[in-house]
Each structure stands twice: as structure tokens, then as C-alpha cells.
Amino acid sequence: MRVLFTMHAAAAHLFLVVPIAWAMKAAGHEVVVAVQPDIVDDVTRTGLTAVPVGKASNIAERLASIPADQQIFGSGYDIAEERPEVLTYEYVRDCMAAFASPLALDLITDDSMYDDMVTFCREWRPDLVVWDSITFPGPVAARACGAAQVRSTFGRDHWGRMRSLFLRLRAERPEALGEDPVADWVTAKLARYGSAFDEDVILGQATVDSMPVWTRFPVEHDYLPVRYVPYNGPAVVPDWLRAEGPGRPRVCFTLGVSGRDMWGGHGSIGAADLFEAVADLDVEVVATLNADQLDPAVKVPDNVRVVDYVPLNSLLPTCSAIVHHGGTGTFSTSIVHGVPQLVVPAQLYDEGGMARQVADEGAGLVIQPEDLSTRTLRENLRRLLGEPSFRENAARLSRVSEATPSPHDLVRDLEELVARHRAETGAPATAG
């Protein structure tokens, strides 16, 4: 069958689904990845086939030029909000409306991507569209061409949680039954291509969930669990990493792919405090920082190795701890390799929530950005390295991850979903 993957112009989001796309291809299916021009080269470097759709996003430059009060970060709404006292009907309704608007979802994927996606899908006729959960040109195009479609997560499913909560709270208010800003937003998108609204467009016919099972919200929805398989992009393992172990605890410090590529600098952790914190510790720190992330005026201690890039999947098995911003790829790769985590959460999506969960599992510690200092970094890192429970719990979570169905197993689930879709809709199979 023919399978189309799509995500907005973020290499980090692409990397999350590369192993799944290759599993589909290895099973004999025809696979393409439809993306904005910004990350076409990232797609082709994975060995997959890219289809450019829409205009270039240039999201980092545009965010940097937009005042904070005119973007989602300054809207006062947080899709990852979990405090019960805040989650009133009005807050949930208006939060979802803020995301389904030019503040957020329409900022990252504009009409040109929708138009090109629909045109391509109507020509190519995919059997299945797998779409990153904030990239709505995917389900809209699937609906327009009659394909089956599923979401893929890039973190805990707050969109699904909020949608479920909105519907429950609205049902308790008869006077509000006509209100549904997300359905109105999706309906307008679909109408451009002659398609009618379907609730499946909001959450997918199912959701491919690569997050650990212990992070999942209790949402009534068809989740397809899949083991997170780290993919870091093309890389060469350096000689120093292949050599014998460092002889003392090795600590990784990273800001992740998105810290370099996107979001206008939001969520960055300065290196100066970390360097000062570890300078007198008996550790080796590997800091994956490029020139834009490292102030040339900052003195690098003798026990810190600064490298522009090294694949986390190769580095982390040699590490005793990792210090990072809480991004999904870094969080998940650390889980896979059983590495205790010290997280200073960024303020983009759900970094704080994921950090709290790994801390609750006993596999990490959290420093809130406002509490970040040389002292808190040193104290928490010493504790993370010195208390065996963190390594033991991280190893436990790694075993849970290993027991999750692999991308190979997921292929069968997706084939069955497409077969059911064909039976229910009468959609013909492609020649692919």
C-alpha cells in the first residue's frame, strides 16, 4: 500500500517517525514524506523520499520577529496545563481555540501546505496518512482523498487530553452545546476541499504513541503503542567515543535538535552555569553545543569536551547522567538507554510535565528555570550520580520500553486499520 508521512518543518519531529517509516518501507509498502521545503534535505538524508508541499515555514525567523503577546507563548494559554483549579470549561475552550488559530497551528502550517497536500494526495492516492499531531494538513488531505489516517505523538498527548476534557465539560453545560472552536476551525479547512467535518480529523482514526506507557493520559481513544527507537540523523561515531571508557562518570549536556533549529531561542539553557558547576567535580562532561549556543567569552573547564554534534544514541550508553532541556527525543533516548536525567525544562510544550514524570518514577531530578544556579546544578548532579536508586529506576524504565511493541509490530496494526477503513468506506487498494 501507499503510505504518506507528514509533519511541520521541524527535524526533531521528523526524527521521531523515521524508524516507523522505514519499518513500513521494509515491509514492502511505498513510503513518501510530505513536508515544507525547510526540511526536505533532512528527509532525503534519512534515505526516504521527500515531497515538498507549501511554502517555506521559516518558523524560527518568524517567531523571533513576532512580539511575545502575538504568539502562543504570550497568549496566557498552555495546552499542557494540568492544574484542576485552572481547567475550567472557559479555559479549556479558549485554550484550544488559541491553538487552532494564527497564534499556533496556522502559524506553522499555512494554506499553501494544505493546498499542496490535498493536490498531491488526490493525485498519488495514499492508502494511509500518518500525521504529526499538530500538522493538520495531514488529516484534511486524507479526508479529501479518502485515505485512512492516524496521528503520531511527539510528546504526551495534551491535545487529546484537552479535547476529551472539553467534550466532557461541555456536556455538563446545556447552554454551551453549540460551542466547539476546534470543530469550527477544522470544518472551515475541510470545506475548502469539499469535505464534511468528522471528529476523526481532530484526533485521528487512531494515534501511534511512541511515548512510554506510564506517561499516557486516560483518554478514551485508540492508541497504538510503539517502542521509541532513537534516530539522530546521519552521523559518524568519533574516535574518542569508540575508545575505552572515560574512567570517571561521563555526563552529557544537550539542548536537543529543536534548541538549535527552531523557536527563536525559547527554552535555551545557558552553558556558563553548568561549566562552573562541574569544573571541580570528578566527571567528564560532553557538551553538544554549536557556535550559536556557546558564548566564546565563556571559559570551558578542562573536564568539559565541547562537540558540535555527536549522536545521542551512541553517546548515552557511555554516560552516567544527562543534563538537558526536556525535549521528547532527548527524554526518550535517555529512557531507552537507562540514563538518569537532570532536567531544566524549557517552556515550549510539555518539557516540565515530562520532567516531573521521570522524577516521580525516581529516574531523574528537576530544576525549575527560576531555580537554576551553579549551586543547584552541582548539588543535583552530585545526587544523581551518587544515589544508586536513580540508575536502578532508569534501568527499570528502559526494560519497560524494551517490552513495548516495535515499529515492525506496528506495521501489522496499521495494515489492519487500513483494511478496516477500506471495508467501511469501499476505498480501493492502490497498486503500491
Side-chain angles (χ1 to χ4, degrees):
M1 64 186 183
R2 290 178 175 168
V3 184
L4 181 146
F5 286 78
T6 190
M7 67 288 304
H8 74 102
H13 288 227
L14 165 67
F15 290 176
L16 291 172
V17 298
V18 166
I20 299 170
W22 265 107
M24 297 297 293
K25 193 171 178 67
H29 301 299
E30 191 174 352
V31 174
V32 301
V33 184
V35 292
Q36 292 149 302
D38 315 55
I39 62 167
V40 162
D41 289 345
D42 293 292
V43 173
T44 58
R45 283 193 288 267
T46 72
L48 296 167
T49 300
V51 176
V53 287
K55 298 182 295 187
S57 172
N58 298 319
I59 185 66
E61 294 87 346
R62 288 192 294 134
L63 273 175
S65 68
I66 299 173
D69 61 354
Q70 296 178 29
Q71 53 181 278
I72 196 64
F73 298 113
S75 69
Y77 294 105
D78 182 1
I79 197 73
E81 177 61 68
E82 296 185 67
R83 293 171 294 176
E85 67 272 19
V86 176
L87 293 174
T88 63
Y89 170 73
E90 289 78 12
Y91 181 92
V92 174
R93 177 198 63 200
D94 295 346
C95 179
M96 298 202 76
F99 272 78
S101 80
L103 288 176
L105 298 181
D106 284 338
L107 179 69
I108 60 174
T109 52
D110 65 10
D111 286 347
S112 69
M113 185 174 181
Y114 283 88
D115 290 343
D116 286 359
M117 278 284 292
V118 170
T119 298
F120 176 73
C121 285
R122 283 175 169 170
E123 293 171 351
W124 194 61
R125 308 299 299 182
D127 298 284
L128 174 66
V129 175
V130 182
W131 52 285
D132 179 87
S133 58
I134 55 173
T135 308
F136 278 84
V140 169
R143 183 82 171 152
C145 74
Q149 51 88 10
V150 298
R151 291 188 307 157
S152 61
T153 57
F154 63 90
R156 295 193 300 166
D157 188 15
H158 285 289
W159 184 258
R161 176 184 64 89
M162 281 289 206
R163 180 64 181 172
S164 176
L165 181 57
F166 167 77
L167 294 175
R168 179 171 65 78
L169 292 174
R170 189 186 63 173
E172 298 170 357
R173 293 176 167 237
E175 74 279 7
L177 290 181
E179 296 182 337
D180 196 335
V182 174
D184 293 344
W185 178 77
V186 168
T187 297
K189 302 289 188 190
L190 292 164
R192 284 168 53 87
Y193 312 107
S195 301
F197 172 76
D198 190 302
E199 183 70 23
D200 283 349
V201 176
I202 297 178
L203 295 185
Q205 291 172 269
T207 296
V208 175
D209 189 8
S210 60
M211 293 297 292
V213 65
W214 43 271
T215 68
R216 188 175 302 160
F217 297 115
V219 175
E220 289 294 327
H221 180 60
D222 185 11
Y223 286 97
L224 304 176
V226 63
R227 184 189 317 156
Y228 175 80
V229 176
Y231 174 80
N232 304 140
V236 175
V237 178
D239 290 343
W240 62 264
L241 188 54
R242 295 169 54 199
E244 190 174 344
R248 52 183 172 172
R250 177 176 281 164
V251 177
C252 172
F253 171 56
T254 180
L255 300 179
V257 174
S258 292
R260 298 185 179 206
D261 296 346
M262 296 183 62
W263 306 118
H266 284 274
S268 295
I269 307 169
D273 281 334
L274 179 89
F275 290 171
E276 186 177 347
V278 302
D280 61 351
L281 296 183
D282 187 23
V283 298
E284 178 197 30
V285 175
V286 178
T288 63
L289 300 170
N290 64 14
D292 293 334
Q293 296 171 306
L294 184 62
D295 184 343
V298 173
K299 184 181 186 309
V300 180
D302 292 339
N303 63 341
V304 174
R305 182 193 297 269
V306 176
V307 293
D308 180 82
Y309 176 76
V310 63
L312 279 186
N313 195 42
S314 300
L315 173 61
L316 286 187
T318 73
C319 291
S320 300
I322 180 170
V323 180
H324 67 97
H325 63 302
T328 300
T330 307
F331 167 92
S332 299
T333 305
S334 302
I335 295 294
V336 166
H337 292 295
V339 179
Q341 305 179 45
L342 176 54
V343 186
V344 183
Q347 308 295 320
L348 292 174
Y349 177 66
D350 185 32
E351 293 84 356
M354 290 194 296
R356 287 193 302 273
Q357 285 211 282
V358 80
D360 289 345
E361 291 290 333
L365 294 168
V366 184
I367 302 175
Q368 296 303 326
E370 61 271 21
D371 298 327
L372 179 64
S373 68
T374 299
R375 179 184 60 79
T376 57
L377 275 168
R378 182 186 292 111
E379 290 176 353
N380 281 274
L381 186 55
R382 276 178 168 161
R383 185 181 168 202
L384 199 66
L385 293 169
E387 297 181 18
S389 63
F390 292 108
R391 172 66 69 173
E392 292 164 0
N393 284 313
R396 172 178 56 82
L397 297 183
S398 178
R399 291 191 295 271
V400 172
S401 172
E402 190 174 354
T404 306
S406 71
H408 170 79
D409 300 319
L410 176 68
V411 171
R412 181 178 61 253
D413 293 334
L414 294 178
E415 290 170 342
E416 291 174 354
L417 183 146
V418 171
R420 290 195 301 271
H421 177 77
R422 288 173 181 162
E424 292 168 0
T425 65
T430 64

